[in-house]
Amino acid sequence: MTSHNPAPLPLEQQAALGSGADFWSTKEVGDVPSLVLTDGPHGVRRQVGATDHLGLAGSEPATCFPPAVGLGQSWDARLAGEVGAALGVESRALGVDVLLGPGINIKRDPRCGRNFEYFSEDPYLSGRLAASWVRGLQGTGVGASLKHFAANNTEHDRMRSSSDIAPRPLREIYLRAFQHVVQTAQPWTVMCSYNRINGTYASENHWLLTQVLRDEWGFDGVVVSDWGAVQDRVKAVAAGLDLEMPGNGGTADRQVVEAVEAEELDADVVARAAARVVALAAKAEAGRAAPVPAFDAEAHHALARQVAARCVVLLKNEPVDERTVLPLDTARSLAVIGEFARNPRYQGGGSSHVNPTRVDIPLDEIRALAGGADVGYAAGYTTDGSGDAAALRDEAVGAAAAADTAVVFLGLAAHQESEGFDREHIELPAEQLELLAEVVRAQPRTVVVLSHGGVLRLGPVAESAPAVLDGALLGQAGGGALADVLYGRVNPSARLTETVPVRIQDTPAFLDFPGEHGHVAYGEGLFVGHRWYDARDIAVAFPFGHGLSYTSFAYADLELSADAEGITARVTVTNTGEVAGREVVQFYVAKPDSSVVRPPQELKGHASVDLAPGESERLSVLLDRADLAYWDIRGDRWVVEGGTYEVRAAASSRDIRATGTVEVTGDALVLPLTLDSTLGEVMATPGAAEALGALMPMPQVAADNDVLGVDMARMMASIPVGRLLAFAGGAVTPADLDKLLTQLNSAQA
Ligand code: BGC
């Protein structure tokens, strides 16, 4: 296929291009070749030969990189790009043209079963990591599928429920990362989600798929449905859907043809959708010809280990007898405890499940780095509830007491969290907590290593153990990466991408999750994640952005300046400790005098820096002007407010190291005056007081303003000008007022 002009394609062929040939590929139509789409996102799940009808059977071996929950913790966009590129190489090797990822839904509630597939509770961070991932992948000639568009934040009833969201949170929280990725990384495809948004299915949502995605954001790729998300193809095509997946034998293609023939569906809309699928096929064909390195499974495993080590968060590392437990000392014996040390939990369940090329066993990797020191092992618990819990615990406590240090692996098993259902709580299994308490009693030098896809209540862990490493899910090389961090071969530098609450009752969506009777009320509005805990001044177990290091860093000389691009923040970071390390510097922006409701602070920039002991570096980070904007519901547009902004350079959302202010020039927001505008709004317009006074003498307000025991001026300010007619005794006509408003509006324009 060299070039295509879709116009000559007959209607039947255009409609045929709009749905898959089978579970994972599109149809070959005329000289338009078929292409292969496959999950994604953290590895290539390529099924060859006959597959089951749900596409969940076995797949070809591929590298299982850290799922988004882990990768996000790196806060490292460059690294996300490297992972994207490696996935592209594997996709090419396995004959995949479009990899179904990244997933960038906001983690609204820690109980969402699919949070492991998403990056963060924060739209800025999700957008930055995902954009880089997409660029990395697409640089290899393989397309991305940005998913799940949009507001798919619960698994419960996900194929029917409506996410009921007000315009500001929808734009500022749930669509913002999508907008960033679409506009800066141009994904080949966007996958529309199963759910409804404010009552309309994403797949049938013209506002979402056409007005916002294409007309506002300029998306020119293919909108593909989530698998089985289309319930009415004709409505979906009219709304802006291009490709329905999986294939369904052509039934819906015929409905599209019939709808056009009956003049119920615009033929041009079908032609445009077909043209976009043709263009995608052309990109895939060109992609297959682009040079990429051969897939080297060993090299990718090594990369997966390097990436995973960058994703491990050191939550806590307190001294015991004046010496921190981490990094471990190779001269000392160790007891490794926990089933997950032998059978690691490293990825989530469902459509993203990868068949790994190999899996690092943490216990083996720890032994490999222990330098000959004795490393004992006890399972401590089972993950399926079998066995004698007391006996397992006693054995583990004995092993811990006999060694110099204990490392206890705790976490959630695959059956406790997955795509397709939500958790009902955020607790670790009780027997694991009991085990930990007893191990620490016997062995104060105890480190906990956590494996889980969703946030856990960590109070009991943090109160008991002096050191805690959070691995979330680290992919197939997580075992080696954990050993690297435990022994200090890698200095931990990752940061939480989600707040760890003290208890589930403190979480923003606690009362509205997961919704009922087909509706999820997004009652917390803008106040998602750290925005909520800060606004309500709620104590947390570990704040958003938190993560320690084996060294320490100092921040100095924050300087701010603003121009048309945004705010540039400069700050000097110094490694004040004894080992090399990486610091993730976060920039939170506040506008305390804002004219609209805003969270107390929002993440708007970050950078990371690798520093040798004693070394300093001056960072310069641009906080994009677009990210300073709020969504104005009156003008239906983004607006940057003018005035003073406060910028905080921070090591976490609750560890602010330096603060400064900067003046930003605002966007002009001229709202046309109407009969519904209040007297206050009209009077704020230049020339209005005189013009209105001439038309209709305003009641003179006494100097003491106390005629009726009220502030008359304030009371009148809220009256819509149109209503003044009622008080003008017929002396002013609607036409007079209209004329006046037209005059004022043209003076403002
Ligand atoms: C999931 C998507 C996935 C698709 C294909 C759906 O159930 O929501 O994320 O890409 O299946 O497996």
Side-chain angles (χ1 to χ4, degrees), residues 527 529-538 598-601 654:
F527 298 92
H530 56 100
R531 291 162 169 79
W532 167 263
Y533 301 99
D534 288 348
R536 304 298 301 256
D537 195 15
I538 295 172
R598 286 194 193 231
Q601 60 175 18
R654 296 230 166 146

Side-chain angles (χ1 to χ4, degrees), residues 24 39 100 114 147-148 158 191 194 226-227 351 419:
W24 298 122
D39 286 311
L100 302 174
R114 219 169 173 184
K147 69 189 189 181
H148 307 90
R158 65 173 168 164
M191 183 193 291
Y194 288 127
D226 198 343
W227 268 230
S351 58
E419 177 181 348

